[in-house]
Amino acid sequence: MKGIQLLLLFAGIFFLAGYTSADETLSVFGPGGPYGPMNESATVFSQRYGAQVIVKAGPEKKWIDEAKQKADVIFGGAEFMLSKFIQNHSGLIDTKTRTTLYVRPSGILVRPGNPKQIHKFEDLYRPDIKIMVVVSAGQTGLWEDMTAKHGDLPKLIKNIAVYAINGADAIRQWKEHPDLDAWMTWESWHYRLKDVTELVQVDENYKIFRGTPIAITKISQQRELAQEFIDFLKSDEAHAIFKKWGWK
């Protein structure tokens, strides 16, 4: 009898302490841009609290069918991305749980060693520079936002050699076309591609920022665990992880 009472006592202690069962699995989906810090944060959370957090990221078409069946959490590479996702998939996101994590700044990626000696934004206007930009996903409008307020769009456009579809396509283009000199994107992509890029930080006059939104789905069977994970992402520890990957 005493043994049963002790077991019940320990069970109550674990429950009150927020004990998380190793059998619990949290499914997190989103675009490829924030994958690095999101996955590292998930690993730390999983090791510490015993739950398994699985992050699947990339172009939406690769994971949306699975997400509609089992997603607990959805994140975006920019605020407008999550807003668009909510519009396109009505009823999937619990909008009351939406929150913003950290922002990431824009920059220029060049080849290792910076062979074309691109040190400031204005260097992109030189006639010998071939630029790649991205026209959708989290980089939608980035190159235009960086340039238009200075009235230099004509100078930039004549040097754009590749309009990539999304981040995954941009990575492929960058690796397949070594004649590309510069990629206008988020600083954070450098930390995913250190072997093939070097980061050139731009002057504040050319720098723009995008947020990193996240929300719980209405179909989640692990809402409490999902909220615990989001709370962890908002902690100083997780913020340090995001900073390591290029966020502010």
Side-chain angles (χ1 to χ4, degrees):
M1 189 68 180
K2 288 184 178 180
I4 294 175
Q5 290 175 333
L6 285 172
L7 285 173
L8 291 172
L9 176 62
F10 281 122
I13 290 172
F14 281 127
F15 177 78
L16 292 173
Y19 174 73
T20 302
S21 170
D23 293 333
E24 292 181 309
T25 299
L26 199 68
S27 297
V28 180
F29 295 84
Y35 174 76
M38 194 67 68
N39 189 58
E40 184 174 340
S41 296
T43 298
V44 173
F45 182 87
S46 297
Q47 293 172 345
R48 182 166 303 164
Y49 298 104
Q52 185 179 19
V53 182
I54 300 174
V55 180
K56 294 189 177 181
E60 183 181 310
K61 64 181 180 180
K62 291 187 175 182
W63 49 260
I64 187 58
D65 290 339
E66 183 180 1
K68 287 179 178 179
Q69 300 299 317
K70 59 186 291 188
D72 297 295
V73 175
I74 300 289
F75 62 89
E79 292 292 344
F80 72 82
M81 289 185 72
L82 188 59
S83 296
K84 183 178 180 180
F85 185 92
I86 291 170
Q87 290 179 335
N88 291 343
H89 307 289
S90 178
L92 182 58
I93 297 292
D94 183 352
T95 57
K96 291 182 293 185
T97 67
R98 179 174 180 165
T99 188
T100 295
L101 298 174
Y102 314 106
V103 299
R104 51 180 170 164
S106 58
I108 302 168
L109 301 191
V110 298
R111 299 293 175 179
N114 197 0
K116 287 296 187 71
Q117 296 299 296
I118 298 170
H119 299 293
K120 59 184 185 298
F121 193 88
E122 291 83 356
D123 288 337
L124 297 179
Y125 305 149
R126 293 188 344 229
D128 62 325
I129 301 298
K130 290 186 177 181
I131 303 169
M132 177 172 67
V133 299
V134 180
V135 297
S136 67
Q139 297 173 61
T140 301
L142 180 150
W143 62 274
E144 188 171 354
D145 288 347
M146 292 175 73
T147 315
K149 64 180 179 180
H150 303 283
D152 292 330
L153 277 173
K155 296 179 184 178
L156 185 80
I157 290 174
K158 65 182 178 60
N159 284 350
I160 297 177
V162 170
Y163 292 87
I165 299 171
N166 52 36
D169 182 45
I171 292 173
R172 180 184 63 81
Q173 298 271 12
W174 186 256
K175 292 180 177 180
E176 292 182 359
H177 300 282
D179 58 322
L180 289 172
D181 304 304
W183 172 7
M184 295 175 64
T185 183
W186 306 114
E187 288 186 4
S188 59
W189 280 102
H190 164 65
Y191 299 93
R192 289 267 308 268
L193 302 163
K194 286 185 176 181
D195 58 329
V196 292
T197 68
E198 188 170 305
L199 174 62
V200 176
Q201 295 184 323
V202 298
D203 182 88
E204 291 296 327
N205 291 327
Y206 291 96
K207 191 171 290 188
I208 62 172
F209 296 84
R210 291 286 189 271
T212 309
I214 192 166
I216 300 171
T217 67
K218 289 184 177 180
I219 64 172
S220 174
Q221 300 298 307
Q222 303 279 2
R223 293 182 63 84
E224 184 176 346
L225 180 61
Q227 187 59 58
E228 289 175 1
F229 178 58
I230 291 176
D231 290 342
F232 174 74
L233 291 174
K234 293 163 65 177
S235 70
D236 290 341
E237 183 176 6
H239 192 188
I241 293 173
F242 272 79
K243 284 181 177 179
K244 186 177 71 174
W245 286 89
W247 271 252
K248 297 299 182 185

